[in-house]
Amino acid sequence: MNITAKTKIILIIGDPVSHSLSPQIHNAAYQALRIDQEYVHIAARVSPDDIAQIIPSMKALGIRGLTCTIPHKTSILSYLDWIDPVAMKIGAVNSIVNDAGVVKGYNTDWIGIARPLQKKIDLKHKTVAIIGAGGASRAMIYACVTQGANITVYNRTVEKAEKLAEEFTIRFQGMDHLEEVSSADILINATSIGMTPESHLTPVPKQFLSSRQIVFDAVYTPFETQLLKDAATAGATVIHGTEMLLEEAYAKFKLYTGFEAPEEIMRKELFSTLGIL
Ligand code: ATR
């Protein structure tokens, strides 16, 4: 441990937050770049009732970076000094930087979707089916819309899908129209369906999956979700939820420290923590 009186704090807040892997991943990266004297990443459970105190505390304590996770990504917006236009459009921030007392909010979630997809395909004019219409879905829609994809959002609560569709000028459907997904080039799960402990569940029946598709699951516990297992069996190209986690972590790392993220170190740390190696 290399912490001194000059070490700057990077903090993740959420409720709950004890499951977060951010401290391990970022601290491993600080160590690898030998900047662990400059930065330390810790976590704090913050109740939604205390949200108004967060940004004043960040300023008072000189906290350099603040990562927000559920349920704070939207409620913190009104306390910031500046919001990146992309975060404004998505309607959520997950990365906040304290620049000499000026607190600036960014969203890196969409990068976690855009980059892994860009590595596999050019999204222009591709048909994308996004399952879910919550906070994660907004970042995914933004990522795909800005790259010229044709998107349909499917959701259990159709009204929520309709609202998103209006806002982003995309199509919407209820989950009772999932058979349409068979003709999509890319399928993205933005719901929590299939997450441990309900890992036997899947958002999309396997008969709608095929070898011409790319299937991206935002769920990363388990690593091999039922959706991704079915997709692999159908011969589809799969993208694991860990890719989203890593790409958005790399982007945050740069925002907080100014350094390029040591990607392989962060990947290794995540995979060994999840027991995937
Ligand atoms: P997040 O910020 O992670 O997106 P959220 O805003 O709570 O979380 O959104 C969760 C999404 O998963 C919603 O689209 C939700 O559908 P509803 O809008 O109908 O609630 C979807 N979801 C969660 N569990 C589901 C389930 N068992 N079946 C269908 N959809 C589910």
Side-chain angles (χ1 to χ4, degrees), residues 70 131-137 155-157 160 175 190-193 201:
I70 291 168
I131 319 293
S137 174
N155 200 46
R156 177 177 59 182
T157 312
K160 276 164 76 179
M175 294 288 263
T191 74
S192 51
I193 301 170
L201 298 179

Side-chain angles (χ1 to χ4, degrees), residues 9-252:
I9 295 172
I10 311 292
L11 181 67
I12 176 165
I13 60 163
D15 189 12
V17 81
S18 58
H19 65 284
S20 172
L21 303 172
S22 288
Q24 281 108 302
I25 298 170
H26 286 263
N27 286 325
Y30 302 151
Q31 239 174 344
L33 293 189
R34 298 178 190 277
I35 54 170
D36 49 331
Q37 210 166 21
E38 284 181 60
Y39 300 99
V40 63
H41 197 312
I42 55 176
R45 183 174 182 179
V46 174
S47 149
D49 296 339
D50 292 327
I51 197 71
Q53 298 167 45
I54 296 304
I55 297 302
S57 304
M58 185 184 187
K59 290 185 181 183
L61 298 173
I63 290 169
R64 164 68 184 164
L66 184 76
T67 294
C68 299
T69 186
I70 291 168
H72 304 309
K73 290 186 187 187
T74 304
S75 53
I76 203 136
L77 281 170
S78 58
Y79 301 98
L80 302 174
D81 295 324
W82 181 84
I83 301 167
D84 180 73
V86 173
M88 193 77 107
K89 176 70 187 160
I90 295 171
V93 298
N94 67 341
S95 308
I96 299 171
V97 179
N98 181 353
D99 247 344
V102 180
V103 168
K104 301 175 179 173
Y106 301 86
N107 186 304
T108 60
D109 283 335
W110 72 278
I111 297 172
I113 292 295
R115 293 235 173 102
L117 282 173
Q118 279 164 351
K119 286 179 186 169
K120 306 272 184 206
I121 197 170
D122 177 2
L123 280 172
K124 203 169 168 62
H125 302 315
K126 295 294 183 302
T127 314
V128 181
I130 297 180
I131 319 293
S137 174
R138 294 184 65 90
M140 292 176 183
I141 293 170
Y142 177 85
C144 297
V145 161
T146 50
Q147 292 183 58
N150 300 319
I151 302 161
T152 304
V153 61
Y154 298 83
N155 200 46
R156 177 177 59 182
T157 312
V158 188
E159 296 74 28
K160 276 164 76 179
E162 184 174 12
K163 201 163 162 282
L164 275 186
E166 266 173 33
E167 190 178 336
F168 287 95
T169 323
I170 57 174
R171 282 183 76 240
F172 74 96
Q173 278 295 6
M175 294 288 263
D176 49 343
H177 283 75
L178 272 183
E179 75 283 352
E180 288 182 10
V181 161
S182 338
S183 62
D185 300 308
I186 297 153
L187 167 66
I188 307 176
N189 176 31
T191 74
S192 51
I193 301 170
M195 193 184 286
T196 308
E198 298 199 298
S199 52
H200 58 289
L201 298 179
T202 180
V204 179
K206 58 183 172 201
Q207 64 265 33
F208 303 144
L209 306 174
S210 71
S211 61
R212 45 169 295 281
Q213 291 171 322
I214 294 176
V215 180
F216 192 164
D217 199 340
V219 173
Y220 63 89
T221 51
F223 179 65
E224 298 288 357
T225 59
Q226 190 60 51
L227 173 64
L228 292 186
K229 282 186 206 165
D230 292 343
T233 304
T237 301
V238 304
I239 304 179
H240 293 88
T242 44
E243 294 309 303
M244 180 175 174
L245 200 70
L246 284 168
E247 288 291 352
E248 74 88 18
Y250 303 154
K252 269 196 183 89

